[in-house]
DNA sequence: GTCTATAGCCGGATAGAC
DNA sequence: GTCTATCCGGCTATAGAC
């Protein structure tokens, strides 16, 4: 009976929080191990290198989120003629919020990690996700395409990446934006409120007719 | 008659390109000065520190873009009842593309710097821009608000930041996305083509009615 | 204004005792 | 598995000659 958490888990827990807040390259192993209250050398013992620690942090979230998202999309897909874009995006809310049950602030940490990863890793993360979770992604992309059949495939490719940018940038800036919104408008939004604000924005953008000029 | 460019300018030119490609913290002064073919110590002589170099790089673009954008928006504003959101966003195309005349690839470099800056600087860039270019920003925000009067002010705050995220993330990933689009769909988009794709997406999202549930 | 040389620090990673 | 001690490379910044 352990009186404290596994060293490996302690490292992952401390690392994901710091990575999400500060970015990968701005977070040193020394900072991680001191917050985790473990020895500096234990990172290399358990993970081999900082790069592999980063992958382990991301995989721990993706392994929970991706299958869960897939299931929710497939549930809609049973009656595909009724699934609007808003419904498809909204189907991701539950898998996202369930990450909060896995760990405190899990939802926002996951989305921030995703954004940091895409921007810092020069394409490595995109490769990692499509090769490891490609089938789950395909489920999602197919559902979106079916509910917006007037959008050509190539255009949809761009719009889904616009969508990814919208949400990950928003989440990377969420703390700062929340502070401003509180000061200027008296609003107090949690992560779920922000997600619910951004979904109509993304759904409208994805579905807007292509200009024919 | 100088046979080569000013040292200060050579540093700025090399730095902005590397900052845009790799991010600020991933770009060392050693890399900048070797690409610029100037002495390492000259950065500190001309700019004082790396942080001030970053600000100088950003200011060189903002000083061109912001007044130019303001002028274009005001030109629309003479007949405000006719300015749709699409027209307002499209009015920024000319100022953005003029950055390409200032320097090769200026448009995309600027937008990538903006994205990197917002994400890496933990709010410092937001403060810098609003305090130094607040009046130009206000012109833009007022025009948008006038053309979408059904959106409450607080909601518009969020949507404009969604929009910022959409475009800067897209531009930060533009090279990778272009490669995929070329391989998968035979598309060959330049920066302008991407901007013209993203504007309808953003305009639709900003204007979509707020849910009343 | 430009150079060399170097100070001083912090980073990831590892050797080897326990 | 965990620890201390250390290597070694890269970083920003600066001193001081020219």
């Amino acid at each position: 009976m352990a009186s404290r958490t596994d060293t490996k888990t302690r490292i992952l827990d401390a690392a994901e929080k710091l990575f999400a807040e500060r970015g990968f390259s701005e977070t040193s192993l020394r900072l991680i191990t001191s917050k985790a209250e473990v020895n500096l050398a234990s990172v290399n013992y358990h993970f081999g290198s900082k790069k592999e620690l980063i992958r382990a942090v991301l995989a721990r979230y993706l392994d929970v989120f991706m299958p869960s998202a897939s299931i929710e999309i497939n549930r809609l897909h049973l009656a595909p003629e009724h699934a609007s874009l808003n419904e498809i995006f909204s189907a991701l809310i539950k898998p996202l919020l369930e990450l909060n049950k896995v760990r405190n602030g899990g939802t926002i940490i996951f989305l921030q990690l995703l954004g940091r990863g895409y921007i810092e890793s020069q394409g490595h993360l995109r490769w990692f996700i499509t090769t490891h979770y490609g089938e789950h992604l395909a489920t999602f992309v197919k559902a979106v395409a079916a509910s917006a059949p007037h959008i050509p495939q190539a255009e949809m490719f761009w719009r889904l990446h616009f969508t990814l940018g919208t949400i990950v940038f928003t989440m990377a800036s969420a703390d700062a934006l929340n502070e401003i919104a509180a000061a200027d408008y008296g609003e107090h939004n949690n992560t779920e409120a922000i997600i619910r604000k951004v979904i109509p924005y993304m759904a409208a953008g994805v579905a807007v007719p292509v200009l024919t000029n």
Side-chain angles (χ1 to χ4, degrees), chain A residues 57-85:
Chain A
V57 163
L58 285 166
R60 198 166 59 145
Y61 274 102
L62 289 166
D63 287 344
V64 174
F65 173 74
M66 284 291 186
S68 166
S70 234
I71 287 168
E72 293 299 323
I73 301 292
N74 276 325
R75 189 168 298 167
L76 290 178
H77 200 60
L78 296 175
E81 68 278 4
H82 294 309
S84 69
L85 276 181

Side-chain angles (χ1 to χ4, degrees), chain A residues 59-138:
Chain A
R60 198 166 59 145
Y61 274 102
L62 289 166
D63 287 344
V64 174
F65 173 74
M66 284 291 186
S68 166
S70 234
I71 287 168
E72 293 299 323
I73 301 292
N74 276 325
R75 189 168 298 167
L76 290 178
H77 200 60
L78 296 175
E81 68 278 4
H82 294 309
S84 69
L85 276 181
N86 251 305
E87 287 169 329
I88 294 174
F89 286 138
S90 297
L92 300 179
I93 295 180
K94 200 177 126 195
L96 282 173
L97 293 182
E98 270 169 2
L99 301 177
N100 274 330
K101 292 172 192 162
V102 179
R103 265 179 304 286
N104 257 358
T107 303
I108 196 165
I109 289 174
F110 170 60
L111 289 170
Q112 288 178 345
L113 288 173
L114 215 55
R116 303 266 185 206
Y118 268 97
I119 287 178
E120 280 193 40
S121 79
Q122 286 293 64
H124 289 28
L125 178 60
R126 183 173 282 106
W127 175 87
F128 177 74
I129 289 181
T130 51
T131 55
H132 285 73
Y133 307 92
E135 288 173 37
H136 297 116
L137 282 180

Side-chain angles (χ1 to χ4, degrees), chain A residues 11-23 27 57 60-61 104 109 112-113:
Chain A
I11 293 171
L12 286 168
D13 289 348
E16 66 173 38
K17 209 158 178 292
L18 292 164
F19 285 154
E21 283 168 5
R22 313 162 45 100
T27 303
V57 163
R60 198 166 59 145
Y61 274 102
N104 257 358
I109 289 174
Q112 288 178 345
L113 288 173

Side-chain angles (χ1 to χ4, degrees), chain A residues 42 72 75 130 134 147 164 194 212:
Chain A
S42 61
E72 293 299 323
R75 189 168 298 167
T130 51
S147 88
L164 181 64
I194 298 178
T212 55

